[in-house]
Amino acid sequence: GSGRGRRMATAFSMAPPPDMALETPAGSLAEMSEAEVAAAVSRIKAGFLRFFVSMMVRYQELLVVPSSTIKQPAAVDFFDERRWIARFGSESREWLEMFCRSQTFTQWLEARLAPSAEPELEIVFFNEQIDAKIMRSTKGRLLAKHTTPLLSTGVMPSGGYGGSLVPPQVRTVYNASMIAARPVQAQQQVALLLVLASGVAQREPAEAADFAARLTQEFSRQLLWSRVNVAAALRVHVCAWPSEGAEQLAPFAAYGLDNLAAREAMFDLTRFAAEAGGDGGGG
């Protein structure tokens, strides 16, 4: 943990302590030429890039499915913050915890958990920088099988980043949680479920209620991480239909007639077929 923290701290040259005398005093921006300013800005950007690449090496290993007790997870809940912080020294803990709660880090996670349809240059560039760092290590040269076409050619790969941004199961749960977190009014438009041919007759209100309850329960189970009011988001309507077979055979229900439901269905089918044939003949 502390070793990695020291390596992260040396990702770029640190500024000298205030009590160290410099042989050549640094000039102000006003005293620097445009070329010198551009070079200094480039060095600062490169330093920050090396710093954050060192921090986020193998970040995919830290992307996890959040606990089901979190009803509406945010992007940071899909990141194992505790295991990540344990990589570094204890003196960095407070800063790392604040970093995890920053909007910048949330947006960084969201860009990987739910990437856009078109590959983003920033994401491909950053991830290839991580891969290049891994391959520069002794162990990485022996075991890593990364490719960095963007860094090698300067051309954006048509398929985007060649590696995995997020474990598949993590992305699946994240997408489901984002759908579930939509406002109920909008969700009603995508959660309407039409069930045809339920076969529940008018004389079977208990079965109709049981069918509706089981459907609602299954819908709720799929929204495990949601705070959506399922009763408002899902409207179940069971189409009851009159069964003449049920009416004709009702007197036999008390005698435990075998396959009563099948007999009722056959009676109805025969009746429906006769009515259809009669309509066809009369037309």
Side-chain angles (χ1 to χ4, degrees):
S2 59
R4 183 185 290 268
R6 287 193 294 272
R7 291 195 296 274
M8 182 187 72
T10 58
F12 59 93
S13 302
M14 305 297 289
D19 57 350
M20 179 179 293
L22 298 176
E23 296 180 1
T24 304
S28 64
L29 288 176
E31 299 171 333
M32 298 170 67
S33 66
E34 291 186 5
E36 289 173 333
V37 171
V41 170
S42 295
R43 288 195 297 270
I44 292 172
K45 288 182 177 180
F48 272 100
L49 175 63
R50 291 194 296 271
F51 175 73
F52 286 109
V53 164
S54 298
M55 281 207 309
M56 302 311 300
V57 165
R58 294 189 174 89
Y59 70 86
Q60 294 93 333
E61 299 174 359
L62 301 168
L63 294 174
V64 297
V65 174
S67 169
S68 60
T69 58
I70 304 176
K71 297 303 180 182
Q72 191 171 345
V76 72
D77 294 315
F78 290 82
F79 185 75
D80 194 336
E81 175 185 334
R82 184 174 60 179
R83 191 151 57 96
W84 178 64
I85 292 177
R87 289 179 172 184
F88 311 108
S90 58
E91 65 279 2
S92 305
R93 183 180 184 87
E94 183 178 358
W95 184 86
L96 293 170
E97 288 177 345
M98 289 190 297
F99 177 77
C100 281
R101 283 151 182 75
S102 66
Q103 184 177 0
T104 299
F105 184 62
T106 296
Q107 293 174 340
W108 186 90
L109 286 173
E110 289 174 344
R112 285 152 178 80
L113 289 166
S116 61
E118 294 295 326
E120 297 184 30
L121 177 62
E122 179 183 347
I123 293 178
V124 177
F125 178 75
F126 188 84
N127 276 48
E128 286 196 7
Q129 287 283 353
I130 291 178
D131 293 343
K133 177 177 177 60
I134 292 173
M135 290 189 292
R136 285 195 298 269
S137 67
T138 303
K139 185 177 180 180
R141 284 195 295 269
L142 296 174
L143 302 177
K145 298 180 180 180
H146 300 292
T147 59
T148 55
L150 176 61
L151 298 183
S152 301
T153 66
V155 178
M156 177 73 166
S158 58
Y161 177 59
S164 173
L165 291 176
V166 178
Q169 68 275 18
V170 174
R171 175 166 295 163
T172 298
V173 174
Y174 179 79
N175 289 341
S177 69
M178 292 300 100
I179 293 173
R182 292 174 181 171
V184 171
Q185 184 63 32
Q187 194 167 22
Q188 287 176 349
Q189 300 173 11
V190 298
L192 295 179
L193 180 60
L194 180 62
V195 180
L196 298 177
S198 62
V200 181
Q202 289 178 350
R203 74 176 186 89
E204 301 164 339
E207 292 187 24
D210 178 68
F211 175 77
R214 286 187 285 111
L215 188 62
T216 303
Q217 182 180 14
E218 179 63 17
F219 186 73
S220 301
R221 190 179 67 83
Q222 296 300 326
L223 296 181
L224 185 62
W225 292 272
S226 173
R227 294 178 182 172
V228 169
N229 183 343
V230 175
L234 178 67
R235 297 177 181 177
V236 180
H237 176 69
V238 180
C239 297
W241 54 281
S243 171
E244 292 192 17
E247 294 176 1
Q248 293 291 332
L249 297 176
F252 303 98
Y255 300 97
L257 190 64
D258 291 341
N259 300 322
L260 185 60
R263 293 171 186 266
E264 293 173 358
M266 291 302 295
F267 189 101
D268 288 330
L269 286 173
T270 303
R271 179 61 183 273
F272 295 155
E275 290 179 354
D279 292 341

